[in-house]
């Protein structure tokens, strides 16, 4: 039992130190984001995050649960009202209802957004266009799109 307590204390301490070491693009704590894909259909946004979890931490996430992983992903994406549909050890999917402004004429505007970290690759896909950004922490100017 003492061994488990020691493991938990070490994890908590490493979790406190790791964010300060997260200077690399796409890195936050024990997560390294590879790509964020945003799919826009009408007023709904689906965010697909591909990432890697440090090898030593994967087992701990499985053992203790995914609540800390969820919190870190929420910080990275930084969208209010985002609902997790799937969280795995290398991939998560979130959905946001009413993410785009509906102009009630068949056109929508997905506004500018700042993420919690610098992303190595951001891809925004609408029914009409696909925009790609590299090494960015912001989706600049937003994206306009039309009803499907």
């Amino acid at each position: 039992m003492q061994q488990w307590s020691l493991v938990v204390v070490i994890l908590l301490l490493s979790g406190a130190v790791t964010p300060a070491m997260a200077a690399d693009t796409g890195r936050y704590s024990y997560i390294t984001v590879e790509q964020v894909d945003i799919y826009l259909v009408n007023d709904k946004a689906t965010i697909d995050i591909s990432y890697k979890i440090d090898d030593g931490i994967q087992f701990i996430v499985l053992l203790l649960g995914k609540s800390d992983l969820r919190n870190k992903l929420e910080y990275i994406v930084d969208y209010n009202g985002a609902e997790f549909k799937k969280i795995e050890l290398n991939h998560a999917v979130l959905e946001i209802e009413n993410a785009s402004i509906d102009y009630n004429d068949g056109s929508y505007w997905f506004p500018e957004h700042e993420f919690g970290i610098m992303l190595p690759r951001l891809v925004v896909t609408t029914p009409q266009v696909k925009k790609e950004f590299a090494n960015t922490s912001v989706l600049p100017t937003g994206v306009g799109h039309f009803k499907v």
Side-chain angles (χ1 to χ4, degrees):
M1 186 63 180
Q2 290 178 349
Q3 292 174 342
W4 284 107
S5 299
L6 182 60
V7 168
V8 170
V9 168
I10 290 171
L11 288 175
L12 291 174
L13 289 175
S14 67
V17 172
T18 320
M21 298 171 14
D24 296 336
T25 299
R27 182 128 173 107
Y28 179 68
S29 188
Y30 55 81
I31 301 169
T32 303
V33 175
E34 296 170 333
Q35 180 168 321
V36 173
D37 290 287
I38 302 176
Y39 301 98
L40 303 173
V41 176
N42 299 335
D43 66 343
K44 183 175 162 183
T46 302
I47 302 173
D48 191 331
I49 311 167
S50 299
Y51 52 85
K52 290 183 182 177
I53 296 176
D54 292 349
D55 291 336
I57 303 296
Q58 288 182 4
F59 176 73
I60 296 165
V61 169
L62 287 173
L63 183 68
L64 299 177
K66 296 180 181 173
S67 65
D68 184 58
L69 176 60
R70 176 188 304 260
N71 291 338
K72 287 181 177 13
L73 292 171
E74 284 176 346
Y75 174 82
I76 290 168
V77 178
D78 197 22
Y79 270 105
N80 291 331
E83 181 182 337
F84 281 91
K85 295 297 181 180
K86 181 190 302 186
I87 299 179
E88 297 175 353
L89 291 179
N90 63 351
H91 172 253
V93 176
L94 298 91
E95 286 186 357
I96 307 169
E97 296 292 333
N98 302 314
S100 294
I101 298 167
D102 184 353
Y103 290 114
N104 294 316
D105 63 356
S107 65
Y108 296 88
W109 183 256
F110 186 70
E112 177 179 322
H113 178 74
E114 187 168 345
F115 296 89
I117 66 168
M118 180 75 68
L119 303 174
R121 187 158 188 245
L122 172 64
V123 180
V124 181
T125 305
T126 74
Q128 294 78 34
V129 70
K130 182 177 190 177
K131 292 188 174 191
E132 297 187 28
F133 306 90
N135 298 321
T136 185
S137 62
V138 66
L139 170 62
T141 69
V143 178
H145 57 103
F146 299 97
K147 189 171 191 165
V148 175

